[in-house]
Amino acid sequence: MPAGLKQTSSTVAIGFSVAETAPNTFQQASVDLNLSPLDREVFVVTAINLDPIAPDAVAGVNTQTQASLTTTSQTAVVNLDNSNCLATATLDLRAGGFVDSGVGHTRNGMETPPATLDYIGIIATNDFFIQIVGTGNLGNKSCFGKLYGYRAQASADIYAALVQSEVLSA
């Protein structure tokens, strides 16, 4: 258990999804955690699974589907170097000059962390965000996923620091 936090629930699994409104167009969805700021409630994230839809196989065209999950709103899909990014997944289909076939590649930011970690992130504001964008696809892409964790109550100083850090880094 992180210092300054008291667990107030058992493990919770929160399902979510986001879909492009048009092919190769960035889209973001917000998922409300219903946290109580009066009770200094936070959500301690223990695991995340992202499952983006595979990119289209288009002859001679490299295609891609990218997704990320963040603690703050974004204007593009981000990577793990962003301090608010908790998970990312990318599916690539590289045409490599071939007309009828390609080579698939999967890149993701560890869907489930090693067992030695107590948690992978703390969400101090009321929601989290999931982003999706495709590249070179003919159809709309989407991403489904689950966020695992538990609710906790933070001490006043820890809560203030967590909220300020999350909001100021947006």
Side-chain angles (χ1 to χ4, degrees):
M1 171 65 66
L5 298 180
K6 177 184 171 193
Q7 187 170 342
T8 60
S9 76
S10 58
T11 299
V12 177
I14 300 168
F16 55 85
S17 66
V18 64
E20 291 179 320
T21 55
N24 310 308
T25 304
F26 171 78
Q27 189 65 37
Q28 175 174 264
S30 172
V31 180
D32 190 359
L33 291 171
N34 293 315
L35 298 175
S36 172
L38 293 175
D39 295 325
R40 302 179 315 273
E41 193 172 41
V42 298
F43 193 83
V44 179
V45 180
T46 56
I48 300 168
N49 286 329
L50 292 179
D51 186 18
I53 297 298
D56 295 337
V58 180
V61 176
N62 292 336
T63 58
Q64 182 178 73
T65 305
Q66 289 182 285
S68 59
L69 186 144
T70 59
T71 59
T72 59
S73 181
Q74 304 293 318
T75 58
V77 171
V78 296
N79 291 310
L80 294 175
D81 62 340
N82 181 303
S83 62
N84 293 312
C85 183
L86 297 179
T88 184
T90 302
L91 300 177
D92 295 296
L93 189 55
R94 297 292 176 223
F98 299 104
V99 175
D100 294 324
S101 64
V103 178
H105 299 278
T106 301
R107 295 177 279 154
N108 57 17
M110 273 194 341
E111 290 182 337
T112 303
T116 57
L117 293 178
D118 291 335
Y119 64 97
I120 59 173
I122 299 174
I123 302 173
T125 55
N126 214 23
D127 41 18
F128 66 91
F129 300 85
I130 180 76
Q131 300 85 24
I132 184 83
V133 70
T135 304
N137 295 302
L138 299 176
N140 299 1
K141 296 299 156 193
S142 57
C143 181
F144 306 92
K146 277 216 194 291
L147 177 93
Y148 300 89
Y150 55 87
R151 296 173 182 275
Q153 186 176 36
S155 63
D157 57 335
I158 297 294
Y159 182 75
L162 287 170
V163 170
Q164 183 177 17
S165 174
E166 192 172 307
V167 171
L168 290 178
S169 64

